[in-house]
């Protein structure tokens, strides 16, 4: 029978800022990633644990960049799918902000919208206005705002609250066009 464990530092995991066995398994559609991560750490292969239980790891940023460049060179058509898998896993495993990042990279405006609608108010209320503004800017640049009226309403509110009347008006107009 074929061993389905990933070998070596898989370039496909370079889309991940933080790595765990289950997340890598989901992104790679394989099994055994936790053991591979432990082996990589023991071998000092540019991988650092992020917790005492060695559940989460991070590549050295230069190594990750090298892996990612190799992924883009060898399999550019796969990058969007890998981000989509990561978004699904992160959403299902209570990592909604990371899910937003991966959904954005995958171009999944519907998933981004659903998550932003859930998170915008609590994230904004916690003082992280810049995070919410970044999400809104992504929609302004990449997502048809008119297809996501609840996001447009949130955008109008956020921009009004921070005193950007022109932006608030633009988002409110987008929200009105959907009705």
């Amino acid at each position: 029978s074929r061993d389905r464990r990933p070998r070596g530092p898989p370039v496909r995991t370079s889309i991940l800022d933080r790595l765990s066995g289950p997340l890598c398994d989901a992104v790679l559609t394989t099994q055994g990633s936790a053991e591979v991560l432990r082996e990589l750490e023991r071998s000092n292969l540019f991988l650092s644990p992020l917790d005492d239980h060695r559940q989460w790891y991070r590549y050295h940023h230069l190594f990750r960049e090298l892996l990612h460049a190799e992924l883009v060179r060898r399999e550019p058509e796969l990058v969007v799918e890998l981000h989509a898998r990561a978004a699904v896993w992160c959403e299902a495993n209570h990592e909604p902000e990371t899910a937003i990042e991966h959904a954005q990279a995958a171009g999944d405006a519907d998933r981004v919208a659903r998550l932003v609608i859930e998170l915008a108010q609590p994230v904004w209320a916690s003082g992280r206005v810049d995070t919410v503004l970044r999400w809104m800017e992504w929609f302004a640049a990449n997502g048809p705002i008119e297809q996501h009226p609840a996001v447009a309403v949130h955008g109008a509110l956020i921009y009004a609250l921070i005193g950007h009347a022109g932006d608030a008006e633009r988002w409110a107009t987008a929200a009105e066009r959907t009705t």
Side-chain angles (χ1 to χ4, degrees):
S1 99
R2 186 174 158 240
D3 184 3
R4 293 189 33 89
R5 286 189 342 180
R7 293 286 176 214
V11 297
R12 292 177 178 180
T13 61
S14 66
I15 63 143
L16 303 170
D17 182 44
R18 297 178 333 131
L19 305 104
S20 72
L23 174 55
C24 290
D25 284 348
V27 168
L28 301 172
T29 63
T30 190
Q31 297 175 356
S33 297
E35 180 57 33
V36 172
L37 290 170
R38 285 189 291 274
E39 289 172 15
L40 290 172
E41 182 201 0
R42 280 192 297 269
S43 301
N44 285 328
L45 288 179
F46 307 106
L47 189 73
S48 301
L50 296 176
D51 59 28
D52 292 336
H53 302 290
R54 288 176 156 60
Q55 299 291 314
W56 288 94
Y57 297 87
R58 176 170 282 138
Y59 287 129
H60 183 282
H61 71 280
L62 294 175
F63 185 61
R64 180 178 174 217
E65 288 175 20
L66 176 71
L67 290 175
H68 193 69
E70 184 66 12
L71 172 64
V72 170
R73 185 184 71 74
R74 288 189 351 203
E75 301 178 292
E77 71 287 349
L78 192 57
V79 174
V80 167
E81 176 62 27
L82 296 172
H83 279 293
R85 292 176 195 164
V88 169
W89 188 92
C90 289
E91 183 178 3
N93 287 276
H94 314 291
E95 299 266 344
E97 289 188 46
T98 304
I100 289 172
E101 293 171 16
H102 286 293
Q104 288 173 331
D108 186 348
D110 292 337
R111 183 178 303 275
V112 174
R114 187 177 68 254
L115 291 167
V116 164
I117 291 164
E118 287 178 26
L119 294 178
Q121 196 282 327
V123 169
W124 171 79
S126 73
R128 296 176 43 228
V129 176
D130 288 343
T131 299
V132 177
L133 290 175
R134 224 178 23 256
W135 295 338
M136 296 304 156
E137 288 167 6
W138 182 87
F139 267 100
N142 300 288
I145 299 168
E146 293 81 10
Q147 292 181 9
H148 303 284
V151 173
V153 169
H154 278 285
L157 176 63
I158 294 296
Y159 284 111
L161 290 171
I162 63 171
H164 292 198
D167 290 326
E169 181 65 30
R170 182 172 51 89
W171 283 80
T173 300
E176 288 172 356
R177 281 195 298 259
T178 65
T179 57

